[in-house]
Structure formats: C-alpha cells, structure tokens
Amino acid sequence: MLTSGSCSISHHHRLSSLVLKPASSTPHHHHMARPGSCSLGSCVRAQSSRGEVPMISRCVSEREDTQDHRPLEGSFSSISVAGGVVALGKFDALHVGHRELVTQASRVGTPFLMSFVGMAEVLGWEPRIPIVAKCDRQRVLSSWAPYCGNVIPLEFKIEFSSVRSLSPQQFVEKLAQELHVRGVVTGENYRFGFRAAGDSSLLVRLCEGYGISAHIIPSVMDKNQNFIHSDASNSKERGQVSSTRVRHALAAGDMNYVTELLGRRHRLILSWSKESESCRVSKHSISVPRSCLLNLAPADGLYRNCFVVTGHEELIPCEVEIGLLCLCVRG
C-alpha cells in the first residue's frame, strides 16, 4: 500500500479542492512524519496561474503495489464480463459523464467499464500522467455503488493491440461470441473499429444483429460553457464533460471546477520512501519531489483548506504547496 505527503504556497485566494491521503491503515492523527499517498479535495488556492497542462514524466512509481488489471492470459482481462453490460470508453478521469454511463449500464444488468490498454504506445501518443492514480481507481468506483444499485462496477481492460485492426463488425462479433456480453452502453460520440470507422448508430445496428442490447446515452453537458478547447478541430467537443476539460481545469488550478466535473474531490496520490534523501519529513510537514506523483496535480500554487486523509478516511486539515520541483504539506 502507498503512503503520503504533499505541500503548500500562497498569493490571492481562490476556492478550490484538495485532499491528501496516507495509505496507512492506522490513523496517525496530526503527525504527518510517515511515508504515504495523498489526494486533493476542498481547498483555497492562493495563486491564479493559467497555462499548459503540466506534463510530468516518469512519475508512475514502480512501488505502486496495486493490480494493473492487464490481461493475465491472451488478449483479454482475466475477469469475465459474460452476461454483463459494458460501458465503452477511455475512462481516464472517471468523471460524472463516465459515472452516468455505468449508472445506465447498472439499470439493465451487471455493470462493467470496458476500456483499452496500451493505446498511447500503439498509436505513438505522448505519454501522459493519469488523472486518477491506478491505486485510487477502485476507491472511486466503489463510491459509485449508490448510483449503480449498490453494485460496485468492475473494470475490464483489453490490450488495444489485439483489437486495433478489427472492423466495427468484427469488434461487435468479439463482444458477442468471445466475451458473451449481454449489452453495451456508450455515449453519443463514441467511435469504434479500425480507424474509428464505426459510430454509435452503427453500433446499435450491429449489436441488434448479434443479440446484444445497445444503449446510447446523451452526453452529460458541462455547466461551464466558457471553457475554450485548445484544439478547435476536435469534432467531439460539443460542450460535454470530458477528461480534456478536467485536465484544463487542473492546469488552471480551478479546483471548484474540477470537483464539479469529477463529482468528487480530486485526490492527489504520491509515493515515496521516508528514507529517501530527496524527501524531508518532520512532525508537522512533508516535502517531496514531484517525481513522487502518481497522478496529475493542479497548477503550481498554494492550496489552503486541504486535508490529509488517514487510512480510516479521517480528514486532517493542512496546506499544500505545489511548486516546480516539489510538493510540501504543512499541518
């Protein structure tokens, strides 16, 4: 299990969100001098800076001791989705739009999130730090159970290289004949098949032919329509909640907006060794290098009214400073 730490700065105030979590199972009260993991929740940011999304390379620690859920044998994940209803998507941010897909899936069967592993490597995309740390995804999915008839949706991941060349019909055939899914749920902008040849209307027609129920869900729209997408050529951008919007809101340090898009506080997860020379730990503060980050942090600045979260989800107030080279938490 991971352990925690992070930090703080100051300037003008802005309401936002931040929470920090030590992954120890025993509450350490107001002592923060232990290794851990952390997260972002409600806070006040004291700096208003805008710019590009901070891309932090090589920050996913090999110490992250949670399952990647990559396939153990063959092309597909080792869990079974037979008889289940799969929500299709990328599910990077696990935002309110993704939650709505799984909510709808739960109304017609056992809900699963189906996404692809290794797309960046296969397509030559620049690697990006995830919005949700791998080790924190199960916590987020568990929080969705009340929306899903008290069922926690599971993740089912497929190696993208194993399905990249499939036509839309071959992909649906695989869903029906290999995975034996009962139904699929997607957003209205979903594309699938080789070179994204298939759209949601084709998915409905193909699924009907294979005896799979298909449910197309209208996009969850972003209430903040002042958002300006940096890539005007993106035909999928119609004002809906998206992972891109979450990344831009984090880059702007607007944690209220991030919370609105995610439907929860953003939890920043760090991993470090207390013995590391680059980590400074005292009774009431922790300072760690940014290389300890396991997911995307907001813009540099001081975040007040933040929390360190103990293993029992106890919230300990703190300030978090995010800087160019390090993060510091002060209790």
Side-chain angles (χ1 to χ4, degrees):
M1 190 73 173
L2 298 177
T3 40
S4 93
S6 69
C7 56
S8 49
I9 355 179
S10 70
H11 297 313
H12 347 293
H13 294 12
R14 182 194 289 185
L15 193 62
S16 25
S17 300
L18 190 62
V19 182
L20 309 170
K21 173 170 182 173
S24 162
S25 58
T26 305
H28 203 57
H29 303 291
H30 288 74
H31 296 244
M32 293 192 293
R34 64 188 301 143
S37 70
C38 35
S39 59
L40 294 170
S42 288
C43 66
V44 176
R45 183 182 177 219
Q47 179 175 342
S48 175
S49 63
R50 294 181 177 273
E52 296 302 315
V53 178
M55 299 298 177
I56 304 166
S57 62
R58 298 177 184 169
C59 54
V60 178
S61 169
E62 293 180 359
R63 297 188 299 274
E64 189 172 2
D65 54 355
T66 56
Q67 292 183 352
D68 187 12
H69 298 295
R70 282 178 179 256
L72 300 179
E73 298 179 3
S75 300
F76 295 98
S77 175
S78 58
I79 67 171
S80 173
V81 291
V85 179
V86 295
L88 301 173
K90 292 181 182 176
F91 305 116
D92 179 16
L94 295 178
H95 53 59
V96 292
H98 297 148
R99 188 181 69 193
E100 180 62 18
L101 288 178
V102 182
T103 298
Q104 295 299 327
S106 71
R107 292 176 179 172
V108 291
T110 304
F112 293 86
L113 289 80
M114 179 183 286
S115 56
F116 302 104
V117 173
M119 287 187 72
E121 295 88 338
V122 172
L123 298 176
W125 295 347
E126 193 71 27
R128 298 195 295 184
I129 187 169
I131 294 171
V132 181
K134 291 178 186 177
C135 62
D136 199 35
R137 293 180 69 86
Q138 186 57 43
R139 177 190 68 86
V140 175
L141 295 180
S142 296
S143 74
W144 289 359
Y147 298 89
C148 301
N150 292 321
V151 173
I152 299 173
L154 297 177
E155 289 199 84
F156 182 88
K157 296 192 176 183
I158 299 176
E159 288 285 354
F160 181 67
S161 59
S162 72
V163 296
R164 181 190 184 189
S165 62
L166 297 183
S167 68
Q169 180 168 343
Q170 289 172 326
F171 177 69
V172 174
E173 182 178 284
K174 189 171 283 289
L175 292 179
Q177 298 182 358
E178 284 193 33
L179 300 181
H180 307 290
V181 303
R182 174 182 166 188
V184 298
V185 176
T186 70
E188 55 192 348
N189 297 324
Y190 186 73
R191 307 287 307 190
F192 70 106
F194 185 59
R195 293 184 177 175
D199 60 11
S200 57
S201 60
L202 178 60
L203 180 66
V204 171
R205 295 198 301 272
L206 290 173
C207 284
E208 183 178 356
Y210 284 95
I212 299 175
S213 63
H215 308 268
I216 309 303
I217 307 303
S219 299
V220 175
M221 302 307 290
D222 182 5
K223 296 175 183 177
N224 179 9
Q225 290 305 312
N226 293 324
F227 173 88
I228 299 175
H229 195 280
S230 60
D231 180 8
S233 66
N234 187 344
S235 60
K236 291 186 178 181
E237 175 54 49
R238 296 185 176 90
Q240 72 274 18
V241 173
S242 67
S243 297
T244 298
R245 287 180 177 240
V246 176
R247 287 183 179 274
H248 279 263
L250 284 169
D254 189 344
M255 300 309 295
N256 274 347
Y257 187 22
V258 172
T259 298
E260 188 176 294
L261 294 169
L262 296 180
R264 65 182 185 278
R265 293 168 174 167
H266 181 55
R267 182 166 289 197
L268 180 61
I269 308 293
L270 308 182
S271 175
W272 76 85
S273 167
K274 187 178 177 181
E275 291 72 34
S276 172
E277 293 181 2
S278 59
C279 300
R280 290 193 293 266
V281 181
S282 66
K283 184 175 181 179
H284 296 294
S285 69
I286 301 169
S287 178
V288 296
R290 290 189 72 125
S291 59
C292 293
L293 279 165
L294 297 182
N295 64 318
L296 188 60
D300 293 355
L302 172 64
Y303 294 84
R304 295 198 174 109
N305 296 341
C306 304
F307 303 93
V308 169
V309 186
T310 71
H312 291 171
E313 294 293 309
E314 176 189 2
L315 301 182
I316 300 174
C318 68
E319 289 186 345
V320 176
E321 178 182 354
I322 300 177
L324 180 62
L325 298 177
C326 76
L327 293 91
C328 309
V329 181
R330 288 193 281 269

